[in-house]
Amino acid sequence: MMRYSIRAPHKGPALLATAVALATVAACSGGSPSGAPSPPSPGTSSGGTSTSAAPTSAPPSPTPTPTRTYPLSTAPRTVPAVRAHEAARGPGWKPAPTGGVVVAANSTALADEGRLLAGELGIPYRGAVAAGPGDVELALGTKGGAPESYTLTVRDNRVRISGPDEAGVFYGTRTLKQSVKGSGAMPEGTVTDAPAKPQRGLNLDIARKFFTAEWIEARLREMADLKLNQFGLHFSDDQGFRIASDTHPEIVSAQHLTKAEIRRILALARSLHITVVPEIDSPGHLGAVLRAYPDLQLRNVQGVPRQGAIDISKPASARLVDELLREYAALFPGGWFHVGADEYQALTVRSPEASYPQLATAARQKYGAQARVQDLAEGWLNDRAAVVRGTGKTAKAWNDGFFRGGVVHADKGIEVEYWTGKEIGARPPAEYLAEGRKVVNLNDEYLYYVLGEPNQFTYPTGRRIYEQWTPLVLRGTTPVPARYDPQILGARFAVWCDLSRSQTQAQVAEGIRMPLTALAQKVWSPTKPALTWDQFRALAARVR
């Protein structure tokens, strides 16, 4: 707003000067949002006496300079909600043609984040130059802050987003983008924000149903705006093997992603600070691989084959799976590899040792006279985890591959992905946690989107996740004790394509939209959401 400085006239009656001043104040004060008194003008002392020369015969009354004042700001409305906001008085910030996005000194690594944000806000990207009025400045701060944290400050018509790492600054740009999209501006003040959980994401089964690279890329962009950082890719199962292979092209399904497409997906994910976690499930769920290697399929004492199960008593089985693990570990640069371990059919019968004597013999030969088939399966998990660890990655495995008792125990470095209490070997979550294991939540009660809704599965709703679920609810609807919270690394929402033709790609995208949005809120902030479900859903529609 224009600033007016009213001085006393050198000639004319004092009454006229006072009238002019009052009229000017009245005309300008209508723009004040708060109606609070205006501060003195630059030419007025704190005591209200003018410091300029005035006629001695008729000095005018003091006249304050009209100025705009503001109420205290409120937190930006975003999904997920920011953890903390320090209110301030001011107009906030909105994109303007005179502003741009810049990166601070020693922060050129943020150039990609800067270009992306500038394009989204419709303002220029100016690179590593000093910030000016109307600018957004991105900065890498000193190390030592919480991973993925950021501070976003709006003051003097400028925005500064800083964090200890690139991911944190990127999440700050998502907050700014959503606030501007939802309200047209970013409120004055300071946001201090960080995730409650380090692993937050989506799991996708492309083995049973093929999804295009473009569909996957669209989901990655949605995930990034929700500050999700992990994308699990289950690409091998009984129904298909969906990524091209150089070492074993004979196992690849006709409909698959090329390695060029995977590298494109990985490049986008990396730019959005999302880690892609590949999964080759074994020793079960290997049907697509075993079609090319029928001699390695598990058969019982009567010679009947078990679907998807590989015979882990045969050295050739381990060689085949390890060749695949090493090939795809080289393709995927992230820090994890999922090795499966669930639903091995040899362990679903009344007496595995009687039904599969070859497995029982191999167990005793390798682990001693007391070893059982369960121990051979646990040893298989440890051996595959060792292969993954040799490539510089941490192994993940499904919870029903970790057995109680026995002479062989799963390596403590394998992350437990807890999905169910329904399968054989699926112990209560507290047992894994009491052993000191780290667990990721994929609770099939809330977080499993199973196409066609077989086996009493129902499509999960965002509302149920938002109102009832937390990362502590690992199995069913009952949370584990809060003391285990530090061991729960986070959660992923999972899409499984058991009845693959039940929904199109577009229907899946729409069906998971709000459940994934609700999960994002619950893994970012540990507190109960302030908004009702209806308010949250309406907000998500505005800002996403």
Side-chain angles (χ1 to χ4, degrees):
M1 179 162 191
M2 255 184 105
R3 299 179 66 88
Y4 294 88
S5 180
I6 307 302
R7 295 177 182 270
H10 292 287
K11 295 180 181 180
L15 182 59
L16 178 60
T18 303
V20 171
L22 291 174
T24 306
V25 170
C28 294
S29 63
S32 171
S34 67
S38 299
S41 69
T44 305
S45 70
S46 60
T49 304
S50 174
T51 58
S52 61
T56 57
S57 58
S61 301
T63 56
T65 300
T67 186
R68 181 184 292 268
T69 58
Y70 297 88
L72 280 173
S73 61
T74 57
R77 303 293 294 275
T78 61
V79 178
V82 300
R83 301 278 297 275
H85 177 256
E86 182 181 344
R89 298 185 188 275
W93 179 91
K94 61 178 60 178
T98 55
V101 178
V102 303
V103 295
N106 303 316
S107 300
T108 54
L110 296 171
D112 288 344
E113 288 77 8
R115 291 188 184 94
L116 176 63
L117 179 65
E120 291 168 334
L121 297 178
I123 57 179
Y125 172 71
R126 296 208 302 270
V129 299
D135 282 348
V136 178
E137 182 183 44
L138 309 182
L140 288 171
T142 57
K143 298 297 181 183
E148 301 182 294
S149 66
Y150 69 92
T151 300
L152 187 159
T153 301
V154 179
R155 185 171 52 238
D156 299 330
N157 192 32
R158 301 183 191 192
V159 179
R160 178 179 170 86
I161 305 172
S162 63
D165 53 32
E166 293 174 43
V169 175
F170 176 70
Y171 295 141
T173 68
R174 301 305 85 194
T175 293
L176 179 60
K177 173 190 174 183
Q178 285 196 14
S179 183
V180 170
K181 183 174 182 180
S183 69
M186 181 73 195
E188 201 86 3
T190 300
V191 168
T192 306
D193 208 6
K197 294 297 180 183
Q199 295 187 32
R200 312 174 303 278
L202 173 65
N203 214 72
L204 179 66
D205 168 20
I206 67 169
R208 295 177 177 93
K209 181 181 181 67
F210 177 74
F211 289 85
T212 64
E214 292 76 13
W215 190 94
I216 293 172
E217 289 168 333
R219 303 291 78 71
L220 292 174
R221 293 186 180 95
E222 287 187 10
M223 288 173 61
D225 282 349
L226 293 170
K227 302 183 176 77
L228 299 174
N229 66 356
Q230 195 177 80
F231 181 70
L233 194 60
H234 178 92
F235 65 91
S236 169
D237 212 302
D238 296 345
Q239 294 81 356
F241 193 99
R242 302 290 185 184
I243 299 178
S245 172
D246 297 321
T247 62
H248 291 282
E250 68 280 1
I251 69 174
V252 179
S253 300
Q255 208 172 21
H256 65 272
L257 295 171
T258 68
K259 286 194 172 180
E261 288 176 312
I262 289 294
R263 291 187 182 99
R264 194 180 83 201
I265 289 168
L266 291 169
L268 175 62
R270 187 163 50 249
S271 73
L272 299 174
H273 301 280
I274 295 170
T275 299
V276 181
V277 181
E279 180 190 354
I280 297 178
D281 201 347
S282 77
H285 294 280
L286 279 172
V289 172
L290 291 171
R291 279 195 286 275
Y293 293 90
D295 56 316
L296 298 181
Q297 184 149 17
L298 178 67
R299 297 176 182 272
N300 67 12
V301 69
Q302 287 85 27
V304 178
R306 292 307 301 265
Q307 180 182 359
I310 200 167
D311 189 334
I312 58 177
S313 70
K314 296 182 176 181
S317 296
R319 286 196 299 270
L320 172 60
V321 172
D322 289 350
E323 285 168 358
L324 294 171
L325 290 175
R326 292 188 179 97
E327 176 179 0
Y328 292 99
L331 177 62
F332 289 87
W336 295 274
F337 204 114
H338 203 305
V339 296
D342 65 313
E343 299 182 315
Y344 188 44
Q345 295 300 305
L347 296 171
T348 62
V349 297
R350 179 172 300 176
S351 175
E353 287 70 32
S355 294
Y356 300 97
Q358 76 275 32
L359 300 184
T361 299
R364 291 191 295 271
Q365 289 175 344
K366 190 169 185 178
Y367 298 113
Q370 302 303 313
R372 298 174 293 162
V373 174
Q374 166 188 311
D375 298 299
L376 191 67
E378 205 79 289
W380 173 278
L381 169 60
N382 286 340
D383 290 345
R384 307 295 74 75
V387 169
V388 167
R389 190 164 52 249
T391 69
K393 302 182 190 302
T394 296
K396 290 176 172 289
W398 298 113
N399 68 286
D400 50 324
F402 296 73
F403 302 105
R404 180 190 289 117
V407 299
V408 180
H409 305 285
D411 187 280
K412 287 290 184 67
I414 304 171
E415 293 180 3
V416 181
E417 304 248 317
Y418 200 99
W419 71 280
T420 190
K422 301 171 185 174
E423 301 293 331
I424 293 174
R427 297 179 285 150
E431 285 194 24
Y432 301 82
L433 296 163
E435 293 172 0
R437 296 188 184 276
K438 295 179 179 179
V439 178
V440 180
N441 193 325
L442 288 97
N443 184 343
D444 64 351
E445 175 73 22
Y446 291 95
L447 307 180
Y448 261 37
Y449 191 94
V450 184
L451 265 61
E453 301 181 306
N455 302 320
Q456 298 182 319
F457 281 108
T458 58
Y459 292 130
T461 67
R463 181 170 196 155
R464 193 160 181 251
I465 295 169
Y466 187 79
E467 294 181 343
Q468 300 178 19
W469 177 86
T470 75
L472 290 172
V473 182
L474 285 160
R475 173 176 173 172
T477 60
T478 305
V480 297
R483 66 178 179 274
Y484 292 126
D485 184 68
Q487 290 171 242
I488 300 173
L489 300 176
R492 293 198 308 282
F493 186 82
V495 176
W496 297 104
C497 302
D498 293 38
L499 300 176
S500 61
R501 296 183 180 180
S502 300
Q503 289 191 339
T504 65
Q505 289 188 112
Q507 288 172 325
V508 174
E510 182 58 29
I512 70 174
R513 180 177 173 83
M514 285 310 299
L516 192 63
T517 305
L519 175 119
Q521 174 62 45
K522 303 303 282 288
V523 291
W524 187 266
S525 176
T527 59
K528 182 178 179 180
L531 302 180
T532 66
W533 167 250
D534 288 338
Q535 291 169 334
F536 179 79
R537 184 174 56 182
L539 174 64
R542 286 198 303 272
V543 303
R544 291 187 58 198

